[in-house]
Amino acid sequence: MHDFLSSHLVHVVAVLTVLSRLADVLTTYLVSPTLQLEANSIVRKLGWKYAVVTVLVGFAPYFSISFGIVIMTVSFFVASSNASKILIAKTLGEDAYARLAKQVIQAAPPNLGWVYLLMPAALFSIPGWVLLIFYPEPTDWAFYFAEGIIVYSTVIAFWSSVRYVRIRKEARHSAPPPIL
């Protein structure tokens, strides 16, 4: 098995990376068919055609296996996060879920909202930093998985913050949210 993997590593990583991108796009669709729950404002603005084209990034391992591992790690984590929201989105419906998310963000005290918003990303990044302590050299595959974990944490913190600011800004221009 080891000989097979070492001689076909780039293909194995490429297949996994494409699968990770497909998983991200599919789980996004299952949670938010209209993209109103999509935190990434670029995807929300450019739509599904753009989202589907991002699957092509899955072929990155043919240019850099290490970059492919980072993309694969980030994409599987994003897909996992999306999948954790499918039940709520399908049960409530996308519109009701979006309204609920907005109500929660608008009702939260701003500073405490920031703490709670950024806490998951900070906690998620810790194993990535620990991996980098144990595997600090780019010659170790764990180094690239660690980078993927840290990049995922950063992406989640960034896009969650963008969404948080956007919803709070919209709240200033509308009626106060009902108490939950």
Side-chain angles (χ1 to χ4, degrees), residues 4-41:
F4 174 82
L5 279 179
S6 60
S7 63
H8 298 296
L9 184 61
V10 69
H11 305 301
V12 171
V13 174
V15 166
L16 290 170
T17 307
V18 168
L19 286 174
S20 74
R21 292 301 313 131
L22 287 168
D24 178 10
V25 172
L26 177 62
T27 56
T28 297
Y29 181 78
L30 289 171
V31 171
S32 187
T34 68
L35 295 173
Q36 69 176 307
L37 292 168
E38 175 60 47
N40 183 328
S41 56

Side-chain angles (χ1 to χ4, degrees), residues 107-119:
N111 291 338
L112 202 52
W114 277 112
V115 170
Y116 293 152
L117 174 82
L118 296 175
M119 189 184 303

Side-chain angles (χ1 to χ4, degrees), residues 121-177:
L123 292 171
F124 203 94
S125 73
I126 292 170
W129 292 110
V130 170
L131 274 173
L132 280 182
I133 290 169
F134 289 113
Y135 300 97
E137 300 299 322
T139 55
D140 295 313
W141 288 114
F143 176 88
Y144 298 103
F145 286 102
E147 281 190 340
I149 293 168
I150 294 166
V151 168
Y152 169 76
S153 302
T154 304
V155 166
I156 292 304
F158 176 77
W159 287 116
S160 297
S161 297
V162 167
R163 184 169 188 250
Y164 183 79
V165 168
R166 179 179 49 83
I167 290 173
R168 293 213 49 107
K169 190 182 288 186
E170 289 170 2
R172 280 188 248 137
H173 304 294
S174 64

Side-chain angles (χ1 to χ4, degrees), residues 101-115:
K102 286 178 182 178
Q103 287 174 344
V104 169
I105 289 172
Q106 291 171 359
N111 291 338
L112 202 52
W114 277 112
V115 170

Side-chain angles (χ1 to χ4, degrees), residues 40-59:
N40 183 328
S41 56
I42 296 169
V43 173
R44 202 173 54 256
K45 181 178 181 167
L46 297 178
W48 283 110
K49 288 180 183 176
Y50 173 77
V52 170
V53 168
T54 67
V55 172
L56 296 175
V57 174
F59 293 102

